[in-house]
Amino acid sequence: MVYFAKWKIAVVIAVCLLGVAFAAPNLLDRKTTENLPGWLPNQQISLGLDLRGGSHLLLEVEAQTVINERLESIVDSIRQTLRSERIRYTGLGIQDSKVTVQIKKPDQVQQAYDLLRKIDTGTETVNENGKISITMTEEAVLKAKRSAVEQSIEIVRRRIDETGTKEPNIQRQGDDRILIQLPGIDNPEDVKRLLGKTAKMTFHLVNHTVTPEDILAGRIPPGTIALPDAENESAKIAVRRKVEVSGDMLIDSQPTFQDAQPVVSFTFNALGGKKFGQVTSKNVNRRLAIVLDGKVISAPNIQGPILGGSGIITGRFSVQEANDLSLLLRAGALPAPLVILEERTVGPGLGLILLRRVKLPRSSVCWVLSSLWLQVMDVLGFMQILH
């Protein structure tokens, strides 16, 4: 016969009573527990997918986009460097994941090579008969991809937290995938819509010298890109490629109303506010394009300097669209697009099996009783080991 000392029995009883006290909030609704005094237990059990059910998403980070953007940045730097030094060139572009440029004059090849090899420390520069090639090193590529995945996980976590989802499980899986488990979410369409948007916002000056006819004919000068108009997909707006202010300098964004229409207000940090003030001061009566994920969502005319570090994004937004946009801007832009590889709804399989075995109805009281019973079994097993 197994004998337990009295002090051990007292410990078991005390643990069970504490278990009852801490499990009791699960018998109440969430609003009631939030109004309980701070000295009382008010934490409720957070059930995972096995006990509560929910949604399971597997995402892939398209990290190659980050590499391509870096190569595009190198192309722009090469163009500016060679023009400033009056070095004639041709064939500047990206081929097979490397940047190439042909220097026209042989006597300027060495000068160009010396300049271009300093543009990016994470690259290798090769000169072959005046054709200079710049390739990112393997270490730089791996670092950029790793950083993209880590940043994507953080941004995904912020976006999901903004929706009010309780206890999501977000973790890295493999080299470029993110596993998301959302307990209690049976229809994750809203979450998928928010995760499917990169929400990369930038501010560019509109190139007024390019006419709509030039855009249709493909006559786009260097340093300018034609982006689709979000309000009219068939139309395009020519904007300067240079990013005047980046959306990663935003510190707040809120939906609001202006003239009874939904708009989105934004606020920059100190550096962003300074840059925004300089751009608007130097370009009065010019249009400033607000670009979101490669589309011009608004291109207002600069009426005067905006020195307060804040502004308004107008457009044909619905209330829901204004709310979503402000949420995305607050959470930050994804460094690369996310692709949904796997999606499924998970039922509370383990929880239902447990309840069937103990033949109890599915209610909060039964969840608490079964949880307490498992706690008692664990404590008794631990005491048996000590004995």
Side-chain angles (χ1 to χ4, degrees), residues 47 50-53 348-374:
L47 304 178
D50 288 339
L51 294 176
R52 190 179 178 188
L350 181 59
L352 291 177
I353 292 173
L354 176 61
L355 290 180
R356 290 194 188 103
R357 284 183 177 177
V358 298
K359 296 180 180 180
L360 292 174
R362 189 178 181 185
S363 66
S364 58
V365 175
C366 297
W367 286 117
V368 174
L369 291 176
S370 60
S371 176
L372 287 176
W373 175 251
L374 292 175

Side-chain angles (χ1 to χ4, degrees), residues 326-355:
S326 61
L327 184 154
L328 292 170
L329 296 180
R330 284 197 306 272
L334 289 168
L338 298 178
V339 178
I340 299 178
L341 298 180
E342 181 182 342
E343 173 193 354
R344 67 175 183 264
T345 300
V346 182
L350 181 59
L352 291 177
I353 292 173
L354 176 61
L355 290 180

Side-chain angles (χ1 to χ4, degrees), residues 314-333:
T314 60
R316 296 178 182 176
F317 301 131
S318 65
V319 174
Q320 183 62 46
E321 289 172 341
N323 287 332
D324 289 348
L325 178 56
S326 61
L327 184 154
L328 292 170
L329 296 180
R330 284 197 306 272

